[in-house]
Amino acid sequence: GDVYKRQNLNLRFGNCHKLNDQFVIELTEIISQMHCLESINLNFLGCNLLTNSIFLPMSRVWKCCHLLNSFSLGLRKCPLIDDKGLVNLRDARLYLRTLRNLSLGLSGLQHNDLSMGEILQIIQATSDLTNLDLEIPESKVTVFSVVPLIKNGLSTLKALTSLTLGFFSCEQLTKQVCEVLPEALKNCEKLEKLTIDLRKCKLITSEDRALLRSRLEKIKQVEVYPSN
């Protein structure tokens, strides 16, 4: 069949150390012509030559795929990609209103918290999301940006049924995350599944995690890591 009539696209390039920006730019040019796409999953885990330059062509995909309801982008362990790259998605946010499923995997974000502000804007542009998976492990983000992300972003997702928050080894986060999350999720009355990874968040104690679990009892399935 005609490749441009595909409805779902799933591409994984894990640990392809020769894969560069030019490849991604050419790939997004092809994808942006596939106007029938409803689901896109792109995983570049460990592709260590990729830089912030890939975000601008990535935004063209959002603009051109008008039927898109599911988008997943994995850029964990891509050391040359940082907070500033997400700014290049800014112009594409207007085209995200059709999304119902969004997954972003980014690691090593820096302490200036710029990235969290950009992610907050993306979430606010996708208010009808039913599934959100946000993974930002080994990042230097602080409560000064993560708390607004929770209070002003997650709290607006009233259609949300499944939420995953990956804060593995985000060492600057504090118990304030555990305090504001239950309150923010009260607006998400349809939420049935919550997974939050707080492993190696050294400033968050087992008591903080236990209190978090106790305040989330109304959610059918809750997984908080570490489990103790």
Side-chain angles (χ1 to χ4, degrees):
D2 189 344
V3 68
Y4 294 106
K5 293 182 179 179
R6 290 181 63 95
Q7 293 181 315
N8 303 294
L9 184 65
N10 188 356
L11 299 175
R12 298 177 182 272
F13 303 95
N15 297 308
C16 293
H17 300 305
K18 293 184 179 181
L19 191 148
N20 58 22
D21 290 349
Q22 186 59 36
F23 174 85
V24 176
I25 291 170
E26 293 175 5
L27 177 65
T28 54
E29 287 177 357
I30 295 172
I31 296 174
S32 64
Q33 298 176 54
M34 302 169 70
H35 302 301
C36 294
L37 281 175
E38 297 178 4
S39 174
I40 298 175
N41 182 351
L42 302 175
N43 194 332
F44 299 104
L45 172 70
C47 295
N48 56 1
L49 293 182
L50 297 184
T51 73
N52 289 334
S53 298
I54 70 167
F55 282 105
L56 198 55
M58 196 70 65
S59 69
R60 285 203 297 269
V61 172
W62 289 358
K63 291 180 181 180
C64 298
C65 299
H66 305 298
L67 301 178
L68 198 62
N69 63 45
S70 181
F71 183 80
S72 176
L73 178 61
L75 292 169
R76 291 178 56 188
K77 297 185 178 180
C78 299
L80 301 180
I81 289 177
D82 60 24
D83 309 60
K84 296 177 182 177
L86 287 171
V87 174
N88 289 326
L89 294 178
R90 191 172 287 173
D91 291 339
R93 290 199 300 259
L94 294 174
Y95 302 90
L96 297 179
R97 300 189 187 280
T98 60
L99 280 187
R100 298 296 178 267
N101 305 284
L102 175 63
S103 175
L104 292 175
L106 305 156
S107 58
L109 301 180
Q110 300 303 305
H111 65 277
N112 63 18
D113 289 333
L114 172 65
S115 55
M116 289 292 95
E118 294 301 321
I119 292 173
L120 172 59
Q121 295 294 323
I122 290 172
I123 290 174
Q124 289 177 332
T126 54
S127 57
D128 291 329
L129 282 180
T130 57
N131 297 283
L132 174 63
D133 185 337
L134 178 60
E135 304 271 349
I136 52 168
E138 300 171 338
S139 298
K140 296 179 181 179
V141 293
T142 69
V143 293
F144 295 108
S145 63
V146 173
V147 167
L149 177 77
I150 293 171
K151 295 177 69 173
N152 304 325
L154 299 184
S155 64
T156 65
L157 302 178
K158 296 183 179 180
L160 204 63
T161 60
S162 176
L163 173 63
T164 298
L165 298 172
F167 295 128
F168 173 79
S169 199
C170 292
E171 296 184 354
Q172 297 189 43
L173 295 186
T174 69
K175 67 178 182 180
Q176 195 173 356
V177 172
C178 300
E179 293 170 349
V180 301
L181 185 61
E183 190 66 28
L185 294 182
K186 285 182 179 179
N187 291 332
C188 307
E189 296 180 353
K190 297 180 180 179
L191 187 62
E192 296 181 348
K193 181 179 180 182
L194 169 66
T195 302
I196 179 168
D197 189 349
L198 297 171
R199 289 174 298 160
K200 295 191 177 182
C201 294
K202 297 179 179 179
L203 300 179
I204 298 177
T205 66
S206 58
E207 289 79 10
D208 298 330
R209 295 191 297 272
L211 180 60
L212 174 62
R213 289 188 193 92
S214 68
R215 295 182 61 194
L216 295 170
E217 289 180 342
K218 290 185 178 180
I219 300 175
K220 188 177 297 183
Q221 184 177 348
V222 176
E223 297 175 349
V224 180
Y225 299 102
S227 56
N228 59 2

